[in-house]
């Protein structure tokens, strides 16, 4: 166990520029102490993926990421055979006068021709200890893959028909994320400790921005955060996440912007909003209205 208490988790993550509230630090501490997978759910851009990176860096462990997508199946997540190399080996054997078919088959299905995908890689010993396995955006997959994952995470082992069962000598640290585009099955959630990662309040988001873009002045950072916080209260197709707050601030710095203005906002909205319908709503007087509203709530 790398962390003695919850405060140690917060401090370690802060050293990786990840600003973490106590509830999230608590569930991360418990997941590490009890060896349980951690299931993080919330809107896109709220820092779910980043905490896996921060934990891996804080522990000095390798991060192995399984990016989920529609149609992902067990074989794609675990392993595949290097068919190109196998065909070369077959042609070489034929050119050499032919080899015993059974012997050749046994030679072709060995570790030499095996391509390990994230789940298999996470089951193998790693330098520095068990890796952090990030199963990202699980809600993009379907029920059959969830069922497979449930079994794999129960025993921390996978089976390759040609080689047999491979069991992790030390279970990986597992973090699953979901943007909740669909509900993940309760059976999988019950295997995990759960936390909803929400948008941060003003003070925490300002702290995050100052950690990730320290070159930004306090005045500009406050305006950016206040404006984004007000944006999330508007009727938008996609509310901006913390990632967009950071990206926008860096864009403003690249343009040598000192303070926000309706003109600057209009020119750079593509950094904070990702849908044209949302951007059109913020043109002209609307941007000024939200900016004035944001500034009114800032300390004088």
């Amino acid at each position: 166990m790398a962390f003695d208490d919850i405060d140690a988790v917060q401090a370690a993550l802060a050293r990786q520029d990840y600003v973490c509230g106590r509830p999230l630090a608590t569930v991360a501490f418990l997941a590490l102490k009890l060896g349980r997978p951690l299931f993080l759910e919330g809107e896109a851009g709220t820092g779910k993926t980043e905490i896996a990176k921060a934990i891996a860096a804080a522990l000095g462990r390798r991060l192995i990421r399984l990016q989920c997508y529609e149609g992902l199946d067990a074989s794609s997540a675990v392993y595949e055979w290097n068919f190109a190399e196998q065909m070369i080996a077959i042609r070489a054997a034929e050119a050499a006068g032919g080899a015993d078919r059974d012997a050749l088959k046994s030679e072709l299905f060995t570790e030499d021709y095996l391509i390990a995908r994230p789940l298999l890689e996470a089951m193998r010993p790693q330098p520095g200890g068990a890796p952090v396995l990030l199963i990202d955006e699980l809600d993009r997959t379907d029920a059959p893959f969830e069922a497979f994952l449930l079994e794999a995470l129960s025993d921390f082992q996978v089976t390759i028909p040609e080689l047999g069962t491979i069991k992790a000598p030390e279970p990986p640290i597992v973090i699953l994320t979901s943007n909740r585009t669909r509900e993940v099955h309760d059976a999988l959630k019950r295997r995990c400790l759960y936390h909803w990662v929400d948008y941060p309040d003003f003070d925490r988001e300002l702290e995050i921005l100052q950690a990730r873009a320290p070159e930004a002045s306090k005045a500009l950072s406050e305006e950016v955060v206040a404006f984004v916080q007000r944006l999330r209260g508007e009727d938008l197709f996609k509310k901006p996440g913390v990632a967009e707050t950071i990206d926008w601030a860096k864009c403003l710095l690249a343009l040598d912007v000192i303070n926000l203005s309706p003109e600057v906002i209009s020119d750079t909205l593509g950094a904070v909003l990702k849908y044209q319908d949302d951007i059109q709503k913020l043109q002209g007087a609307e941007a000024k209205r939200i900016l004035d509203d944001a500034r009114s709530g800032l300390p004088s």
Side-chain angles (χ1 to χ4, degrees):
M1 181 62 191
F3 304 118
D4 295 329
D5 53 33
I6 299 165
D7 292 336
V9 173
Q10 283 186 289
L13 294 180
R15 288 193 291 272
Q16 305 303 322
D17 293 334
Y18 189 93
V19 179
C20 178
R22 190 168 182 84
L24 180 53
T26 301
V27 75
F29 172 78
L30 291 172
L32 292 167
K33 188 174 182 66
L34 301 176
R36 296 279 298 279
L38 176 58
F39 188 91
L40 301 175
E41 202 167 39
E43 298 290 339
T46 51
K48 302 183 298 297
T49 299
E50 289 301 314
I51 192 173
K53 296 177 181 178
I55 288 175
L59 294 174
R61 306 291 181 90
R62 180 184 174 190
L63 175 68
I64 298 176
R65 181 176 181 175
L66 173 61
Q67 179 60 55
C68 298
Y69 55 87
E70 186 177 352
L72 177 65
D73 58 16
S75 60
S76 301
V78 179
Y79 75 100
E80 66 177 299
W81 293 106
N82 190 333
F83 293 118
E85 290 295 327
Q86 287 174 324
M87 289 303 299
I88 292 172
I90 291 171
R91 296 287 183 265
E94 290 174 347
D100 179 81
R101 185 179 296 273
D102 291 336
L104 181 59
K105 183 178 179 180
S106 64
E107 290 174 5
L108 290 175
F109 292 99
T110 62
E111 289 275 356
D112 293 338
Y113 299 98
L114 185 69
I115 301 174
R117 294 305 183 196
L119 286 183
L120 176 57
E121 197 67 26
M123 303 295 174
R124 291 175 161 174
Q126 303 288 334
V132 175
L133 172 60
L134 170 61
I135 302 174
D136 211 9
E137 298 184 327
L138 179 62
D139 52 317
R140 292 180 178 269
T141 62
D142 52 22
F145 183 76
E146 271 189 45
F148 160 75
L149 198 59
L150 182 63
E151 182 180 357
L153 296 183
S154 296
D155 302 320
F156 291 105
Q157 64 182 32
V158 293
T159 299
I160 301 173
E162 298 85 355
L163 298 178
T165 299
I166 298 174
K167 185 175 179 63
E170 182 182 358
I173 299 165
V174 181
I175 298 176
L176 306 96
T177 75
S178 168
N179 294 334
R180 209 177 188 182
T181 57
R182 70 168 180 84
E183 288 294 337
V184 174
H185 199 278
D186 287 345
L188 185 59
K189 284 187 174 181
R190 283 197 299 269
R191 297 281 182 186
C192 309
L193 297 182
Y194 175 87
H195 185 78
W196 175 267
V197 184
D198 208 346
Y199 295 116
D201 61 18
F202 176 85
D203 290 336
R204 189 166 303 283
E205 189 161 11
L206 180 60
E207 190 178 354
I208 292 169
L209 182 57
Q210 289 175 330
R212 292 302 183 97
E215 61 274 26
S217 68
K218 184 179 179 183
L220 179 61
S221 296
E222 287 179 341
E223 283 192 347
V224 166
V225 171
F227 188 87
V228 172
Q229 294 259 327
R230 294 302 192 281
L231 269 185
R232 293 187 187 128
E234 298 294 312
D235 182 21
L236 300 175
F237 181 77
K238 174 64 178 69
K239 293 178 172 57
V242 179
E244 283 73 36
T245 304
I246 297 167
D247 285 346
W248 192 30
K250 290 181 177 180
C251 289
L252 295 173
L253 287 170
L255 295 172
D256 296 323
V257 172
I258 299 174
N259 297 104
L260 290 181
S261 68
E263 294 75 23
V264 166
I265 292 169
S266 179
D267 290 342
T268 59
L269 269 178
V272 70
L273 297 175
K274 308 301 179 180
Y275 289 88
Q276 179 59 23
D277 290 348
D278 289 343
I279 291 174
Q280 285 183 329
K281 290 179 182 179
L282 270 295
Q283 298 299 326
E286 276 298 290
K288 185 178 186 307
R289 176 186 66 80
I290 296 174
L291 179 59
D292 291 343
D293 187 29
R295 282 176 170 161
S296 70
L298 292 175
S300 56

